[in-house]
């Protein structure tokens, strides 16, 4: 199926899935990054439990040295992508040290724009700015606006949508979520209720995974059912199918790209500790998709960087240059071996200094253009 044919058009924005040949991409930047504020949608924790007893999670700007190290590794990613013929663009630098006060909330500082994946998403020729789910990230679309205007001004086929901005008022959150014990989480894992309520449309872009005509959206701490409903009503009239997906054993789900990562048509890298719901797995099986389990990461959760809020599964945050070439973090040798066994050429780069800025290689990027059109990879759904 073809929703928008790309033949004979000088198009700038065109990306339908996570794996087609990459032509142009945005890589985030760490300047002026701050520690994420504590707020009803986010209770950041220090990794070291002993330290956490005597010290609270910091606020304000990250150290210059920390930011420099992250920028160095981001520059390494840029150099690798460019060496593979990919055009790389960067967002504007934005001062995240500014506090915010809106009619509904206040935060002492904002976060960073290292992870464009969380905010911005390309569906074919359309750029969507997510609603976002956290106060400290409310204005994170701003550093991308210059790029968006450039694509929109130069290519008349580009469609640009900003999803409804939520109030981020107290009613939007379920503060007691943070106090639930693991036993309570286990007992209620099939309710899929997290720190956001169902009162407003909420989604982060990184909860979506693009498989051509089919878009899979994880219900999470950062995306609620109304958010998925909004995506469905927005995208389905254009020919997409939007499916909610759930990983009940992930008690703190946010962003699908450390849980369920498509590598090429018919192949998904899956998280062995976070299986997808059986009835949702069936959609993939019925259309002949194969799952491969990611191997255990080389660091356990306690060995992740002190201020990093993501799990060890950042290991599987793979960025695809094409259906045959992928980039992973340099320490992840078992994953490298697995991917090579499945026929991939694997590039490895150091990226651990980026982890505390919100993620790894897939998170730190936003696809603008990949070769190829909208395909239907799920014949059993027709
Ligand atoms: N919540 C994920 C985990 O800890 C991390 C996701 C990071 N992804 C991103 N796009 N920022 O496993």
């Amino acid at each position: 199926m073809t929703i928008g044919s790309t033949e004979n058009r000088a198009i700038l924005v065109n990306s339908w899935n996570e794996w087609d040949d990459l032509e142009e991409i945005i890589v985030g930047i760490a300047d002026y990054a701050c520690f994420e504020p504590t707020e009803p949608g986010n209770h950041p924790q220090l990794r070291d439990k002993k330290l956490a007893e005597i010290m609270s999670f910091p606020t304000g700007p990250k150290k210059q040295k920390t930011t420099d190290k992250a920028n160095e590794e981001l520059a390494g990613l840029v150099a690798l992508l460019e060496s593979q013929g990919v055009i790389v663009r960067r967002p504007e630098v934005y001062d995240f040290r500014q506090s915010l006060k809106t009619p509904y909330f206040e935060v002492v500082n904002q976060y960073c724009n290292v992870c464009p994946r969380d905010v911005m998403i390309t569906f074919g020729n359309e750029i969507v700015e997510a609603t976002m789910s956290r106060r400290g990230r409310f204005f994170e679309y701003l550093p991308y606006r210059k790029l968006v205007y450039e694509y929109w001004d130069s290519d008349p086929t580009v469609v640009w949508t900003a999803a409804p901005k939520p109030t981020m008022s107290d009613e939007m959150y379920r503060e007691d979520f943070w106090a639930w014990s693991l036993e309570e989480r286990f007992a209620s894992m099939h309710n899929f209720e997290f720190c956001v309520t169902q009162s407003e449309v909420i989604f982060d872009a990184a909860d979506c995974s693009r498989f051509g005509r089919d878009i899979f959206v994880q219900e999470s701490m950062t995306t609620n059912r109304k958010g998925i409903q909004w995506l469905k009503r927005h995208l389905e009239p254009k020919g997409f199918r939007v499916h909610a997906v759930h990983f009940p054993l992930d008690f703190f789900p946010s962003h699908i790209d450390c849980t369920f990562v498509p590598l090429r048509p018919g192949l998904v890298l899956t998280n062995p500790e976070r299986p997808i719901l059986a009835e949702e797995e069936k959609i993939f099986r019925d259309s002949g998709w194969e799952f491969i389990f990611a191997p255990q990461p080389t660091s356990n959760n306690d060995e992740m960087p002190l201020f990093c809020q993501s799990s060890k599964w950042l290991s599987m945050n793979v960025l695809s240059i094409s259906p045959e070439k992928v980039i992973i973090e340099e320490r992840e040798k078992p994953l490298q071996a697995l991917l090579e066994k499945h026929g991939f050429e694997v590039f490895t780069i150091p990226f651990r200094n980026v982890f505390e800025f919100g993620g790894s290689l897939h998170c730190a990027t936003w696809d603008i253009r990949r070769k190829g059109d909208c395909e239907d990879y799920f014949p059993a759904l027709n």
Side-chain angles (χ1 to χ4, degrees):
M1 205 205 85
T2 302
I3 297 177
S5 172
T6 59
E7 275 168 70
N8 308 322
R9 271 203 267 135
I11 50 155
L12 292 178
V13 175
N14 179 73
S15 177
W16 300 91
N17 58 50
E18 310 292 332
W19 59 77
D20 268 345
D21 287 352
L22 184 59
E23 294 186 337
E24 183 158 342
I25 197 162
I26 313 300
V27 172
I29 202 158
D31 299 56
Y32 296 125
C34 291
F35 292 100
E36 52 267 68
T38 296
E39 49 168 306
N42 190 18
H43 283 200
Q45 304 284 332
L46 292 171
R47 285 266 156 203
D48 184 323
K49 299 274 171 302
K50 280 207 190 98
L51 207 58
E53 279 168 25
I54 51 167
M55 185 184 147
S56 49
F57 197 81
T59 57
K62 290 185 187 276
K63 288 210 175 80
Q64 190 59 45
K65 218 175 108 201
T66 312
T67 303
D68 290 346
K69 278 200 221 153
N71 270 335
E72 237 170 76
E73 292 186 344
L74 289 161
L77 173 60
V78 173
L80 171 58
L81 288 164
E82 286 177 344
S83 77
Q84 293 300 305
V86 178
I87 298 170
V88 180
R89 311 289 310 276
R90 310 299 295 277
E92 281 186 285
V93 165
Y94 172 94
D95 191 352
F96 290 94
R97 299 169 303 182
Q98 298 170 86
S99 60
L100 292 182
K101 183 167 163 50
T102 78
Y104 296 102
F105 69 84
E106 282 181 61
V107 277
V108 285
N109 58 256
Q110 303 167 62
Y111 183 36
C112 68
N113 61 330
V114 171
C115 292
R117 186 74 58 184
D118 300 359
V119 196
M120 307 296 295
I121 187 163
T122 305
F123 294 109
N125 65 331
E126 177 169 1
I127 292 171
V128 174
E129 295 169 7
T131 70
M132 300 313 282
S133 54
R134 293 178 179 171
R135 294 171 174 177
R137 307 191 73 174
F138 189 89
F139 285 110
E140 218 174 287
Y141 63 94
L142 284 176
Y144 305 100
R145 275 282 169 95
K146 198 170 167 196
L147 287 163
V148 172
Y149 266 108
E150 200 186 303
Y151 294 125
W152 190 81
D153 281 335
S154 326
D155 177 354
T157 68
V158 172
V159 173
W160 168 28
T161 304
K165 290 309 274 176
T167 61
M168 299 200 183
S169 64
D170 288 347
E171 290 73 58
M172 210 179 93
Y173 302 97
R174 190 180 283 115
E175 264 270 39
D176 64 332
F177 167 85
W178 300 101
W180 297 348
S181 67
L182 280 183
E183 291 70 31
E184 285 172 294
R185 291 178 200 279
F186 189 82
S188 62
M189 69 168 132
H190 289 106
N191 296 346
F192 305 106
E193 295 295 347
F194 306 104
C195 54
V196 287
T197 64
Q198 304 299 330
S199 64
E200 296 186 41
V201 168
I202 304 163
F203 70 94
D204 279 10
D207 278 309
C208 302
S209 188
R210 302 161 307 147
F211 291 62
R213 184 182 179 190
D214 291 281
I215 309 295
F216 294 88
V217 191
Q218 169 183 240
E219 205 181 320
S220 69
M221 294 161 59
T222 43
T223 293
N224 66 1
R225 292 191 278 281
K226 271 207 173 86
I228 300 175
Q229 192 52 235
W230 185 89
L231 284 160
K232 216 174 162 63
R233 290 193 208 174
H234 183 70
L235 293 172
E236 291 198 338
K238 301 171 196 253
F240 290 99
R241 288 179 293 225
V242 174
H243 314 266
V245 283
H246 302 85
F247 305 87
L249 288 178
D250 188 357
F251 296 160
F252 297 90
S254 90
H255 306 156
I256 195 168
D257 53 1
C258 292
T259 303
F260 198 78
V261 177
L263 297 171
R264 64 179 178 226
L267 190 68
V268 186
L269 181 67
T270 57
N271 184 318
E273 295 177 0
R274 301 173 182 169
I276 189 168
L277 268 188
E279 62 260 40
E280 293 165 0
E281 174 170 350
K282 195 171 175 303
I283 300 176
F284 292 86
R285 299 292 187 207
D286 288 351
S287 288
W289 282 73
E290 187 195 341
F291 290 1
I292 46 170
F293 281 144
Q296 275 300 320
T298 49
S299 306
N300 65 37
N301 281 325
D302 297 332
E303 293 158 351
M304 295 295 276
L306 180 63
F307 300 116
C308 170
Q309 297 304 299
S310 302
S311 73
K312 61 183 182 182
W313 294 108
L314 280 184
S315 64
M316 58 184 285
N317 198 241
V318 174
L319 177 64
S320 295
I321 306 177
S322 76
E324 297 87 31
K325 287 186 195 179
V326 294
I327 314 177
I328 68 169
E329 214 282 327
E330 66 176 6
R331 288 206 202 171
E332 303 304 329
K333 300 292 180 215
L335 178 62
Q336 181 175 359
L338 177 81
L339 294 172
E340 284 172 353
K341 202 183 97 197
H342 280 82
F344 291 94
E345 182 180 350
V346 181
F347 296 85
T348 65
I349 54 169
F351 220 61
R352 282 181 76 82
N353 289 304
V354 177
F355 288 5
E356 68 169 85
F357 296 77
S360 191
L361 293 146
H362 188 260
C363 314
T365 54
W366 161 34
D367 309 4
I368 299 299
R369 198 166 65 256
R370 290 181 183 264
K371 281 212 176 75
D373 279 339
C374 184
E375 308 271 346
D376 186 342
Y377 302 100
F378 293 87
L381 289 177
N382 297 320

